[in-house]
Amino acid sequence: MPTAMITGATAGIGAAFARRLAADGFSLVLVARDAGRLAASAEGLRLRYGVKAEVLPADLATEEGLTAVEGRLREGVDLLVNNAGFGHPGNFFDVPVADELRMLKVHCEAVLRLTLAALPGMRERDRGAVINVASVAAFFARGTYSASKAWVVNFSESTAAELTGSRVRVMALCPGFVRTEFHDRAAMDVSGIPGFLWLSADKVVREAMRDVALGRRVSVPDLRYKVIVGVGRLVPKNLAGEISRRLGRR
């Protein structure tokens, strides 16, 4: 039975990955900060799908948390979903630098270290995959969040290129607006986002699993967002940044 590790596994896209992979027969290693919520999520998956669901409480913004998760990955997994992440309420100049550094540790350092912990075993077996959850924001200029997600996309593409000729795959997943707890936790006002731009987490995961099976290095779920990203690459960067600022939060 294959094993998948999912970080940020208790809500939103992470929880949707857990449901999908459990339904596909994966044993799960669930990583999140909230031990109580993590245990409840694991128990629900065991009861519903009859799979093994291991819990690993860890804060990926800490050295202790990162080291613990790296150690579990070196025991071997078949799929790693680097999903943990968060946003900030407010503009770049209003956010304490300690909070910005915490974001970079979770979005960049954790993705780097956990990917590198998982890949040696996958390369030895010549199978496996890493899905790094980025964002459509990676293609637009919008503060540290979009900058960190742009790093995730570049890192994923670069690592995938290094694995050319192998059956191991690395992919960046770049969803748009998804109905999860993310925006509430970041205290973002998303009342101005048109309804047609919202995606379900289950749809995002469904398209991600299809794209990683096809060997794609970047997945942008939904035709609407493929068009938005395509247009964003054509318009001047300062205009794209202004559009992103107006849409992202008030």
Side-chain angles (χ1 to χ4, degrees), residues 2 33 90:
R33 291 183 299 165

Side-chain angles (χ1 to χ4, degrees), residues 4 9 11 36 44 51 53 63 65 70 88 98 104 134 141 165 175 177 201-202 204 213 227 243:
V51 297
E63 187 62 29
E70 284 177 312
H88 288 314
L104 292 175
F177 291 106
D202 289 326
V204 168
V227 171
I243 294 170

Side-chain angles (χ1 to χ4, degrees), residues 108-136:
C108 300
E109 182 180 343
V111 169
L112 170 72
R113 289 174 58 174
L114 300 190
T115 299
L116 291 177
L119 283 178
M122 293 180 182
R123 294 180 68 192
E124 183 177 345
R125 298 187 300 274
D126 196 29
R127 61 180 172 83
V130 178
I131 298 175
N132 293 322
V133 179
S135 170
V136 162

Side-chain angles (χ1 to χ4, degrees), residues 23 33 73 78 106 119 136 144 153 161 188 214 216:
R33 291 183 299 165
L73 284 168
D78 300 283
V106 174
L119 283 178
V136 162
T144 306
V153 173
M188 293 181 183
L214 291 172
R216 291 177 178 161

